[in-house]
Amino acid sequence: MMGTTPVLFALVALCGGLGAALRYGLDSFISAKFGALLPWGTITINVSGSFALGFLTGLLANTQLNEAWLLAMGTGVLGGYTTFSTASFDTLRLLRAGRPFSSLANALGTLLAAVLAAWGGYLLSSLL
């Protein structure tokens, strides 16, 4: 594991801001298009972020990506982009709204889809 330098720290922080801005924009767009039956924006963000992190991790494992880029993109961009806390709150919000099946579908569906997406991203990177 490489040490943190001031430049790498700043790069991860800047990339985190970029990821958060991407999340906000995409979530706003998807929520406006598809409504609030399920939190489709958060689901899309977490599944696509899991795919991307799986892909980047696979590239690192195949020595096609250096660790600094994984930190900037994975920890920075994707750390700011994905949101476990919002997914957790969305699940609770659905439960409190008297929608236990939607709550369960959101929690388990997002978890399963995100894990499968990460695996798919990792497998795809091995084809390169």
Side-chain angles (χ1 to χ4, degrees):
M1 187 80 165
M2 67 185 304
T4 301
T5 65
V7 171
L8 182 58
F9 184 85
L11 181 62
V12 170
L14 288 171
C15 288
L18 174 64
L22 288 170
R23 176 180 72 217
Y24 177 76
L26 184 59
D27 186 44
S28 296
F29 174 77
I30 292 173
S31 295
K33 280 282 196 199
F34 296 101
L37 181 62
L38 281 175
W40 292 112
T42 303
I43 293 167
T44 302
I45 287 161
N46 285 333
V47 172
S48 63
S50 294
F51 176 85
L53 187 58
F55 185 79
L56 291 173
T57 303
L59 291 179
L60 179 70
N62 296 326
T63 65
Q64 296 176 351
L65 182 71
N66 73 39
E67 192 173 353
W69 277 106
L70 180 64
L71 289 171
M73 299 303 293
T75 303
V77 173
L78 296 174
Y81 176 70
T82 59
T83 174
F84 183 79
S85 58
T86 301
S88 299
F89 181 76
D90 285 341
T91 298
L92 178 61
R93 181 184 52 80
L94 290 167
L95 187 60
R96 290 183 48 94
R99 300 176 52 204
F101 296 111
S102 293
S103 177
L104 186 63
N106 184 59
L108 297 180
T110 299
L111 176 63
L112 180 61
V115 169
L116 289 174
W119 183 42
Y122 190 87
L123 291 176
L124 180 62
S125 72
S126 70
L127 299 175
L128 300 177

Short mmCIF file of all heavy atoms in Angstrom, two decimals, residues 50-83:
data_model
loop_
_atom_site.label_atom_id
_atom_site.label_comp_id
_atom_site.label_asym_id
_atom_site.label_seq_id
_atom_site.Cartn_x
_atom_site.Cartn_y
_atom_site.Cartn_z
N SER A 50 -20.61 0.22 -7.94
CA SER A 50 -20.04 -1.09 -7.60
C SER A 50 -19.41 -1.74 -8.82
O SER A 50 -18.34 -2.34 -8.72
CB SER A 50 -21.13 -2.00 -7.01
OG SER A 50 -21.59 -1.48 -5.78
N PHE A 51 -20.09 -1.62 -9.96
CA PHE A 51 -19.52 -2.15 -11.20
C PHE A 51 -18.19 -1.48 -11.50
O PHE A 51 -17.19 -2.14 -11.80
CB PHE A 51 -20.50 -1.95 -12.36
CG PHE A 51 -19.93 -2.38 -13.68
CD1 PHE A 51 -20.03 -3.71 -14.08
CD2 PHE A 51 -19.30 -1.49 -14.52
CE1 PHE A 51 -19.49 -4.13 -15.29
CE2 PHE A 51 -18.76 -1.89 -15.73
CZ PHE A 51 -18.86 -3.21 -16.12
N ALA A 52 -18.17 -0.15 -11.42
CA ALA A 52 -16.96 0.60 -11.73
C ALA A 52 -15.82 0.26 -10.77
O ALA A 52 -14.67 0.09 -11.20
CB ALA A 52 -17.25 2.10 -11.70
N LEU A 53 -16.13 0.12 -9.48
CA LEU A 53 -15.07 -0.23 -8.53
C LEU A 53 -14.56 -1.65 -8.76
O LEU A 53 -13.36 -1.90 -8.66
CB LEU A 53 -15.55 -0.06 -7.09
CG LEU A 53 -14.47 -0.23 -6.03
CD1 LEU A 53 -13.32 0.75 -6.24
CD2 LEU A 53 -15.07 -0.06 -4.64
N GLY A 54 -15.46 -2.57 -9.10
CA GLY A 54 -15.02 -3.92 -9.45
C GLY A 54 -14.10 -3.90 -10.66
O GLY A 54 -13.08 -4.58 -10.69
N PHE A 55 -14.46 -3.10 -11.64
CA PHE A 55 -13.64 -2.98 -12.85
C PHE A 55 -12.26 -2.41 -12.52
O PHE A 55 -11.23 -2.95 -12.93
CB PHE A 55 -14.36 -2.10 -13.87
CG PHE A 55 -13.66 -2.02 -15.19
CD1 PHE A 55 -13.77 -3.04 -16.12
CD2 PHE A 55 -12.91 -0.90 -15.52
CE1 PHE A 55 -13.11 -2.97 -17.35
CE2 PHE A 55 -12.26 -0.81 -16.73
CZ PHE A 55 -12.36 -1.85 -17.65
N LEU A 56 -12.22 -1.33 -11.76
CA LEU A 56 -10.94 -0.72 -11.38
C LEU A 56 -10.09 -1.66 -10.54
O LEU A 56 -8.87 -1.74 -10.73
CB LEU A 56 -11.18 0.58 -10.61
CG LEU A 56 -11.76 1.75 -11.41
CD1 LEU A 56 -12.09 2.91 -10.48
CD2 LEU A 56 -10.81 2.18 -12.51
N THR A 57 -10.72 -2.36 -9.62
CA THR A 57 -9.98 -3.30 -8.78
C THR A 57 -9.41 -4.43 -9.61
O THR A 57 -8.28 -4.87 -9.39
CB THR A 57 -10.90 -3.86 -7.67
OG1 THR A 57 -11.41 -2.75 -6.92
CG2 THR A 57 -10.16 -4.78 -6.74
N GLY A 58 -10.17 -4.88 -10.60
CA GLY A 58 -9.66 -5.90 -11.51
C GLY A 58 -8.48 -5.40 -12.31
O GLY A 58 -7.51 -6.13 -12.54
N LEU A 59 -8.54 -4.16 -12.75
CA LEU A 59 -7.40 -3.59 -13.48
C LEU A 59 -6.17 -3.53 -12.59
O LEU A 59 -5.06 -3.81 -13.04
CB LEU A 59 -7.73 -2.19 -14.00
CG LEU A 59 -8.76 -2.09 -15.13
CD1 LEU A 59 -8.98 -0.63 -15.51
CD2 LEU A 59 -8.33 -2.91 -16.34
N LEU A 60 -6.35 -3.16 -11.33
CA LEU A 60 -5.22 -3.13 -10.39
C LEU A 60 -4.66 -4.53 -10.21
O LEU A 60 -3.45 -4.74 -10.23
CB LEU A 60 -5.64 -2.54 -9.05
CG LEU A 60 -4.55 -2.50 -7.98
CD1 LEU A 60 -3.49 -1.46 -8.35
CD2 LEU A 60 -5.15 -2.19 -6.62
N ALA A 61 -5.54 -5.52 -10.05
CA ALA A 61 -5.10 -6.90 -9.85
C ALA A 61 -4.34 -7.41 -11.06
O ALA A 61 -3.41 -8.23 -10.93
CB ALA A 61 -6.30 -7.81 -9.56
N ASN A 62 -4.70 -6.95 -12.25
CA ASN A 62 -4.04 -7.37 -13.49
C ASN A 62 -2.87 -6.45 -13.84
O ASN A 62 -2.38 -6.50 -14.96
CB ASN A 62 -5.05 -7.38 -14.65
CG ASN A 62 -6.14 -8.39 -14.44
OD1 ASN A 62 -5.92 -9.45 -13.86
ND2 ASN A 62 -7.33 -8.06 -14.87
N THR A 63 -2.49 -5.60 -12.90
CA THR A 63 -1.40 -4.62 -13.05
C THR A 63 -1.58 -3.71 -14.26
O THR A 63 -0.61 -3.29 -14.88
CB THR A 63 -0.01 -5.30 -13.07
OG1 THR A 63 0.10 -6.13 -14.23
CG2 THR A 63 0.25 -6.10 -11.82
N GLN A 64 -2.81 -3.40 -14.59
CA GLN A 64 -3.09 -2.46 -15.68
C GLN A 64 -3.43 -1.07 -15.15
O GLN A 64 -3.73 -0.17 -15.92
CB GLN A 64 -4.24 -2.98 -16.54
CG GLN A 64 -3.90 -4.27 -17.25
CD GLN A 64 -5.09 -4.81 -18.01
OE1 GLN A 64 -6.20 -4.33 -17.89
NE2 GLN A 64 -4.86 -5.82 -18.82
N LEU A 65 -3.42 -0.93 -13.83
CA LEU A 65 -3.76 0.34 -13.20
C LEU A 65 -2.88 0.48 -11.97
O LEU A 65 -2.73 -0.49 -11.22
CB LEU A 65 -5.24 0.34 -12.79
CG LEU A 65 -5.81 1.60 -12.14
CD1 LEU A 65 -5.93 2.70 -13.19
CD2 LEU A 65 -7.17 1.30 -11.56
N ASN A 66 -2.29 1.63 -11.76
CA ASN A 66 -1.47 1.77 -10.56
C ASN A 66 -2.34 2.17 -9.37
O ASN A 66 -3.45 2.66 -9.53
CB ASN A 66 -0.27 2.71 -10.77
CG ASN A 66 -0.66 4.16 -10.87
OD1 ASN A 66 -1.52 4.64 -10.16
ND2 ASN A 66 0.01 4.86 -11.76
N GLU A 67 -1.80 1.99 -8.20
CA GLU A 67 -2.56 2.18 -6.97
C GLU A 67 -3.00 3.63 -6.76
O GLU A 67 -4.08 3.88 -6.23
CB GLU A 67 -1.73 1.71 -5.78
CG GLU A 67 -2.52 1.60 -4.51
CD GLU A 67 -1.72 0.98 -3.38
OE1 GLU A 67 -0.59 0.51 -3.60
OE2 GLU A 67 -2.26 0.98 -2.27
N ALA A 68 -2.22 4.58 -7.20
CA ALA A 68 -2.61 5.99 -7.06
C ALA A 68 -3.90 6.28 -7.84
O ALA A 68 -4.78 7.00 -7.35
CB ALA A 68 -1.48 6.91 -7.53
N TRP A 69 -4.02 5.71 -9.03
CA TRP A 69 -5.24 5.90 -9.81
C TRP A 69 -6.42 5.22 -9.15
O TRP A 69 -7.54 5.74 -9.18
CB TRP A 69 -5.06 5.40 -11.25
CG TRP A 69 -4.40 6.42 -12.10
CD1 TRP A 69 -3.11 6.42 -12.56
CD2 TRP A 69 -4.97 7.64 -12.57
NE1 TRP A 69 -2.85 7.55 -13.28
CE2 TRP A 69 -3.97 8.33 -13.30
CE3 TRP A 69 -6.22 8.23 -12.44
CZ2 TRP A 69 -4.21 9.56 -13.89
CZ3 TRP A 69 -6.44 9.46 -13.03
CH2 TRP A 69 -5.44 10.11 -13.75
N LEU A 70 -6.20 4.04 -8.58
CA LEU A 70 -7.29 3.37 -7.87
C LEU A 70 -7.75 4.21 -6.69
O LEU A 70 -8.95 4.34 -6.45
CB LEU A 70 -6.87 1.97 -7.39
CG LEU A 70 -7.97 1.20 -6.65
CD1 LEU A 70 -9.15 0.91 -7.57
CD2 LEU A 70 -7.43 -0.08 -6.07
N LEU A 71 -6.82 4.80 -5.97
CA LEU A 71 -7.20 5.67 -4.85
C LEU A 71 -7.97 6.90 -5.32
O LEU A 71 -9.00 7.27 -4.74
CB LEU A 71 -5.96 6.09 -4.06
CG LEU A 71 -5.30 4.99 -3.23
CD1 LEU A 71 -3.97 5.46 -2.67
CD2 LEU A 71 -6.23 4.53 -2.11
N ALA A 72 -7.48 7.54 -6.38
CA ALA A 72 -8.15 8.73 -6.89
C ALA A 72 -9.54 8.40 -7.43
O ALA A 72 -10.52 9.09 -7.11
CB ALA A 72 -7.30 9.39 -7.98
N MET A 73 -9.63 7.35 -8.22
CA MET A 73 -10.90 7.00 -8.85
C MET A 73 -11.82 6.21 -7.92
O MET A 73 -13.01 6.50 -7.82
CB MET A 73 -10.65 6.20 -10.14
CG MET A 73 -9.85 6.95 -11.19
SD MET A 73 -10.59 8.52 -11.68
CE MET A 73 -12.04 7.94 -12.50
N GLY A 74 -11.26 5.20 -7.25
CA GLY A 74 -12.08 4.34 -6.40
C GLY A 74 -12.48 5.01 -5.10
O GLY A 74 -13.67 5.14 -4.78
N THR A 75 -11.48 5.46 -4.34
CA THR A 75 -11.77 6.11 -3.06
C THR A 75 -12.36 7.50 -3.29
O THR A 75 -13.32 7.89 -2.63
CB THR A 75 -10.49 6.22 -2.21
OG1 THR A 75 -9.96 4.91 -2.02
CG2 THR A 75 -10.77 6.85 -0.87
N GLY A 76 -11.79 8.24 -4.23
CA GLY A 76 -12.24 9.61 -4.49
C GLY A 76 -13.56 9.66 -5.24
O GLY A 76 -14.62 9.88 -4.63
N VAL A 77 -13.52 9.45 -6.54
CA VAL A 77 -14.73 9.60 -7.37
C VAL A 77 -15.84 8.66 -6.91
O VAL A 77 -16.96 9.09 -6.63
CB VAL A 77 -14.42 9.38 -8.87
CG1 VAL A 77 -15.70 9.38 -9.69
CG2 VAL A 77 -13.46 10.43 -9.39
N LEU A 78 -15.54 7.37 -6.82
CA LEU A 78 -16.60 6.42 -6.49
C LEU A 78 -17.01 6.47 -5.03
O LEU A 78 -18.16 6.19 -4.70
CB LEU A 78 -16.18 5.00 -6.90
CG LEU A 78 -15.98 4.83 -8.41
CD1 LEU A 78 -15.43 3.45 -8.73
CD2 LEU A 78 -17.27 5.11 -9.16
N GLY A 79 -16.09 6.87 -4.15
CA GLY A 79 -16.45 7.07 -2.75
C GLY A 79 -17.42 8.23 -2.59
O GLY A 79 -18.35 8.18 -1.78
N GLY A 80 -17.23 9.28 -3.38
CA GLY A 80 -18.16 10.41 -3.35
C GLY A 80 -19.44 10.12 -4.12
O GLY A 80 -20.49 10.67 -3.83
N TYR A 81 -19.35 9.26 -5.09
CA TYR A 81 -20.49 8.94 -5.97
C TYR A 81 -21.47 7.98 -5.31
O TYR A 81 -22.68 8.22 -5.33
CB TYR A 81 -19.93 8.35 -7.27
CG TYR A 81 -20.93 7.86 -8.27
CD1 TYR A 81 -21.73 8.75 -8.97
CD2 TYR A 81 -21.06 6.51 -8.55
CE1 TYR A 81 -22.64 8.30 -9.92
CE2 TYR A 81 -21.95 6.05 -9.50
CZ TYR A 81 -22.74 6.95 -10.18
OH TYR A 81 -23.64 6.50 -11.12
N THR A 82 -20.98 6.91 -4.73
CA THR A 82 -21.88 5.91 -4.13
C THR A 82 -22.29 6.36 -2.73
O THR A 82 -21.66 7.19 -2.11
CB THR A 82 -21.22 4.53 -4.07
OG1 THR A 82 -20.02 4.62 -3.30
CG2 THR A 82 -20.92 4.00 -5.45
N THR A 83 -23.37 5.76 -2.24
CA THR A 83 -23.91 6.22 -0.97
C THR A 83 -24.65 5.11 -0.23
O THR A 83 -25.82 4.86 -0.49
CB THR A 83 -24.81 7.45 -1.16
OG1 THR A 83 -25.42 7.77 0.08
CG2 THR A 83 -25.87 7.25 -2.24
#
